């Protein structure tokens, strides 16, 4: 079992980033700390505006893939990706090219984390269309199909969908990752999201926060896999961590809680941290936590 770190904020209310030269050096320090700690995955949120629960639109938010490109230049082993890209944010053909570029610049460490999007305010604020929920899921499925077709070296032909039409699905150069960057779908919707995981994804990221919830979501995913003829075991399972044990330095409590997750088949548990002070937090909290997770098998 491995630990993932998700960077969720970029504000500098205490002036820490200014004292250390700004966001770039701090992000580089976070990358170095994550790799030294044995963290398996380093991600950032993909939003235009910060979420209300973390300060709202007045708080700092960096563009996701530019940030990941910077992290790629300052890391060498950790997996990199968005947690997660809203399907409405970028045209799917462009998204495939962006993730392919990250894959090359990172030496094959890119992942495509994607979901149906939900944050209406940032769309309206920047003039980006925000279709109804049902249409966003239709667009998500077409996006998954387009990315897979663009990453298929044998198929550069057109794509004709309800929402997207491409005359060529050409992606040159192709990804470094074989057969393509890992596709991870985020969310826990049982009728649509988990069905799309079963049909298209290499990994899932569950938005369930208790052992019972995770167990239930995984059982729903298993049923979708059975219905579609997909091998459930081939899907990598990840989940967000929302407890207080890591923040409080309670390694025994953290390991006890994660033992149950490991028994369910969760391979990576992802903890969120804001950027200011993140490198130190990773050294002091994440490093020993990663070692304890590795002991769980």
């Amino acid at each position: 079992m491995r630990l993932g770190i998700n960077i969720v904020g970029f504000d500098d209310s205490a002036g820490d980033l200014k004292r250390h030269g700004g966001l770039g050096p701090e992000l580089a320090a976070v990358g170095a700390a994550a790799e030294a700690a044995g963290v398996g995955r380093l991600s950032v949120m993909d939003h235009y505006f910060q979420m209300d629960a973390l300060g709202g639109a007045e708080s700092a938010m960096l563009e996701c893939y530019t940030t990941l490109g910077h992290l790629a230049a300052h890391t060498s082993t950790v997996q990199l990706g968005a947690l997660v890209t809203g399907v409405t944010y970028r045209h799917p053909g462009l998204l495939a090219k962006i993730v392919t570029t990250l894959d090359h610049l990172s030496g094959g460490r890119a992942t495509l984390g994607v979901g149906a999007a939900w944050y209406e305010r940032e769309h309206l604020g920047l003039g980006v269309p925000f279709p109804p929920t049902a249409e966003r899921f239709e667009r998500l499925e077409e996006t998954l199909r387009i990315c897979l077709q663009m990453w298929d070296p044998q198929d550069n032909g057109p794509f004709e969908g309800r929402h997207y039409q491409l005359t060529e699905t050409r992606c040159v150069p192709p990804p470094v990752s074989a057969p393509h960057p890992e596709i991870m779908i985020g969310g826990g919707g049982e009728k649509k999201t988990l069905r799309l995981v079963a049909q298209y994804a290499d990994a899932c990221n569950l938005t369930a926060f208790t052992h019972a919830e995770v167990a239930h979501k995984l059982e729903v995913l298993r049923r979708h896999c059975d219905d579609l003829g997909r091998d459930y075991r081939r899907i990598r399972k990840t989940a967000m961590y929302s407890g207080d044990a890591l923040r409080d330095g309670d390694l025994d409590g953290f390991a006890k809680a994660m033992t149950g997750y490991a028994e369910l088949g969760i391979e990576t548990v992802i903890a969120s941290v804001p950027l200011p002070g993140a490198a130190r937090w990773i050294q002091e909290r994440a490093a020993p936590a990663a070692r304890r997770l590795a002991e769980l098998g």
Side-chain angles (χ1 to χ4, degrees), residues 19 21 38 67 72 78 114 145 219:
R19 285 195 293 272
T67 304
V78 70
V114 66
R145 291 170 56 201
E219 181 56 34

Side-chain angles (χ1 to χ4, degrees), residues 170-228:
R170 192 175 300 276
C171 189
V172 181
V176 174
S177 300
H180 53 71
E182 178 184 79
I183 296 173
M184 183 180 78
I185 297 177
E190 297 179 13
K191 292 182 178 179
K192 295 182 179 180
T193 301
L194 294 178
R195 182 190 65 79
L196 291 174
V197 171
Q199 189 165 359
Y200 297 104
D202 305 297
C204 64
N205 180 247
L206 298 176
T207 52
F209 300 111
T210 68
H211 183 275
E213 287 179 304
V214 171
H216 173 69
K217 299 296 183 183
L218 291 177
E219 181 56 34
V220 172
L221 176 59
R222 186 188 297 274
R223 292 199 298 268
H224 282 304
C225 287
D226 291 343
D227 291 342
L228 294 166

